[in-house]
Amino acid sequence: LADSLLDDLDDLSDSEEKEVEAEDDNAKGENGGEDSTNERGGSSSSNNDGDKSSSTHQTKKGQRFADDPKLQAHLAFIESSSAPMVITNQEEAYSSMTTSNKYLMSIESAITKAHTDLTIAYNTKFPELEDLLPNPISYKNAIKVIQNEMDLTLINDELNSVAKLSSNQIITLSVASSTTAGEPLSTEQLEYVNECISHIDKVLDIKERLIHHVTQLMESLAPNTCVLIGPTLAARMVSTAGGISELSRIPACNLQVLGQHKATSASRAGMSTNIAAAASASVASGGNVAYKPHEGILSESDLYRAVPSHLQRKALKVIAAKLALALRCDYVNLESGRAKTKTSGLKFRTEIEEKFVKWEEPDKAQVVKALPNLLLITLKLDMYFSFGTSIDTIIDS
């Protein structure tokens, strides 16, 4: 009995030792798993850091639209073929214009992105300016003049001459700056703001060069459209739409408002909608054009300007309808390889001019008619009812 009890105690002690060893092994395994997990986590975090840095690099690269090597190569080609006679191959000319339109469409998004970066950077100084000047060009020009100045009454002349702001806009900005909660920018912040401004200026310069190049090619590729509204306006409308193919698909009702400038309630600053839209659009177009609501690039055409103001809205519809036909003629000729002539454009322009002349003609004077002889009418009626015959029959007999 004693020997059996001792054997049982030995078995119990052996099982306890095995359990302790198993627990130690499990603890080591868990620690090893944590270490491996930490190693994997470290590698993954390093990978994430690398991804973040690469994405940041890509973002910075994407912000510098003007530094795109393909764009620079295209601009170099434009400079080398600045004369219209250099490009003799029609396919090469159309390819060049298509590439320019593609970059012009990208430029709009690049300007919007740069404008967003500029507003974020300058909101610390003047947060109300973004609502008062929704136009990116006006906003950029105003910041170029204001910089870190807190009292805008000292720079009213510069805002008028350099930034091209109206007197109502200048007064509104002065009042808003006197009650703003903004603070002056630091040296680093101001440098970044000026960097954004210079980038926008560079992109706008590229846009002007591309539009000038497209204008030179438009006369050979879309002669009917150029005859109707001129090569400059035709190039602007093509660049806004993204190409001749895209512009030819736009209906006439939308061609009227293509490229219009809108004004918000904050940007009007107490002005009427007409005045605010004109002020906003005149800055974008160089200060030479006064826009009205529901009008776009087409309202700058010479046909539209030659019509009296009370007929301009009606004339714009006619011009847009004929322009849609001219664009489709040019696009079909361009795609089919037919001879590009101005016949259709000249015909449409002649029809428009004749219609406008007829609108301006004075109304024809009414023909004065003699009043009927009432005595003769009464006699005729009496003879008819009395004798059952007319007076003319009696006179003949």
Side-chain angles (χ1 to χ4, degrees), residues 21-34:
E21 290 177 358
E23 290 177 356
D24 294 338
D25 293 338
N26 292 332
K28 290 180 180 180
E30 291 177 356
N31 293 332
E34 291 178 357

Side-chain angles (χ1 to χ4, degrees), residues 18 42 45 65 70 78 90 109 124 143 162 181-182 212 219 247 250 276 279 310 312 368-370 383:
K18 290 180 180 179
S45 62
F65 173 82
K70 293 183 179 179
I78 290 175
Q90 293 294 326
S109 61
T124 305
I143 294 177
V162 179
H212 178 69
E219 293 184 352
L247 186 60
I250 298 177
H310 67 281
Q312 285 184 345
V368 179
K369 295 181 180 180
M383 292 294 292

Side-chain angles (χ1 to χ4, degrees), residues 128-145:
E128 296 85 1
L129 186 62
E130 181 182 2
D131 296 328
L132 297 175
L133 297 177
N135 187 288
I137 300 177
S138 303
Y139 185 83
K140 180 262 300 179
N141 292 337
I143 294 177
K144 187 185 293 186
V145 174

